[in-house]
Amino acid sequence: MDNLLALPVGTMLASEYRLERVLGAGGFGITYQATDLPLNRSVAIKEYFPSDFAAREGSRNVRSKSAGHSEDYRWGLDRFISEAKTLAKFDHPNIVKVYRSFQENNSGYMVLQFEEGRSFKSWLDSLGRAPSQAELDQILAPLLDALQVIHAQDFLHRDIAPDNIIIRADGSPCLIDFGAARQAMGHQTKTLTAIVKAGYSPVEQ
């Protein structure tokens, strides 16, 4: 994927991770496939990059687009790192594993398990027919169990869609891309509108 806002292929992060390619980009961040050099394994790395109010300075550093956006940018970065630490506590077979988080380039990064497989959207398209109830149950039941674990920690994903669910080779699902996740904090009045996904986000969001 060609993305002019993404870090260049070959960029080193935290002196341990070499970026190999861009996997995807959304309103809240950019996801890369990378090589964990010390452990010689593939990982996914999510970079905090809220496109509504962030810009790339040179080839690496991220900054707010203007002084007026700086408070929102910093608030979002703090939430991103906080969420990464929360997600790292989850140990569930159907939730992508977060290995670590760190700050660099005036941005934040999550290092996640790289899940082999294809998106639920791609899986549906490949069927060429409507899925059977048994096929849907095999996917939805584990995801509902994963969501129960997430919600028990007062955490909301808010970006569940066919392209954020990976179907592994064994048919099991994995919920990925928590870049739009938000802790359920009713007293927090400041919001980030960039996390809305048309067709899937609830109306009140």
Side-chain angles (χ1 to χ4, degrees):
M1 177 181 292
D2 182 25
N3 190 312
L4 296 177
L5 298 177
L7 290 166
V9 170
T11 296
M12 292 293 299
L13 294 174
S15 302
E16 295 184 8
Y17 307 103
R18 183 182 65 226
L19 301 187
E20 307 294 350
R21 64 187 177 111
V22 176
L23 294 174
F28 199 65
I30 303 172
T31 305
Y32 308 86
Q33 182 179 349
T35 300
D36 181 336
L37 295 176
L39 296 179
N40 191 29
R41 65 179 177 182
S42 288
V43 294
I45 295 182
K46 182 70 176 285
E47 178 184 38
Y48 172 67
F49 194 96
S51 57
D52 277 6
F53 44 85
R56 187 78 68 186
E57 189 173 46
S59 62
R60 292 183 66 102
N61 284 354
V62 183
R63 61 171 176 79
S64 59
K65 286 182 177 178
S66 68
H69 289 115
S70 60
E71 185 179 349
D72 283 339
Y73 179 84
R74 179 54 56 180
W75 183 86
L77 176 58
D78 290 345
R79 300 287 77 72
F80 181 91
I81 296 299
S82 175
E83 289 165 5
K85 292 177 180 177
T86 299
L87 290 171
K89 299 175 183 177
F90 294 144
D91 186 12
H92 191 283
N94 305 106
I95 300 173
V96 65
K97 183 64 180 173
V98 177
Y99 293 134
R100 67 176 290 197
S101 61
F102 59 93
Q103 294 190 52
E104 192 173 316
N105 303 325
N106 195 39
S107 185
Y109 299 87
M110 288 188 207
V111 182
L112 309 104
Q113 180 176 342
F114 181 71
E115 287 287 348
E116 298 281 359
R118 54 181 170 174
S119 70
F120 183 44
K121 180 179 186 301
S122 175
W123 179 84
L124 286 171
D125 291 341
S126 71
L127 287 179
R129 57 172 172 79
S132 68
Q133 187 62 54
E135 289 170 327
L136 289 176
D137 288 346
Q138 184 180 3
I139 293 171
L140 293 179
L143 290 180
L144 290 174
D145 185 69
L147 286 174
Q148 186 174 28
V149 170
I150 295 169
H151 293 168
Q153 297 296 319
D154 292 329
F155 208 81
L156 300 176
H157 187 286
R158 289 190 181 172
D159 197 19
I160 299 175
D163 55 347
N164 282 340
I165 299 169
I166 291 292
I167 305 299
R168 304 183 179 110
D170 64 1
S172 64
C174 183
L175 193 56
I176 65 167
D177 196 356
F178 282 77
R182 285 291 176 273
Q183 281 185 312
M185 300 167 61
H187 64 277
Q188 178 59 258
T189 58
K190 183 173 290 188
T191 60
L192 293 175
T193 58
I195 67 175
V196 173
K197 176 171 288 186
Y200 294 96
S201 296
V203 173
E204 61 272 21
Q205 186 176 334

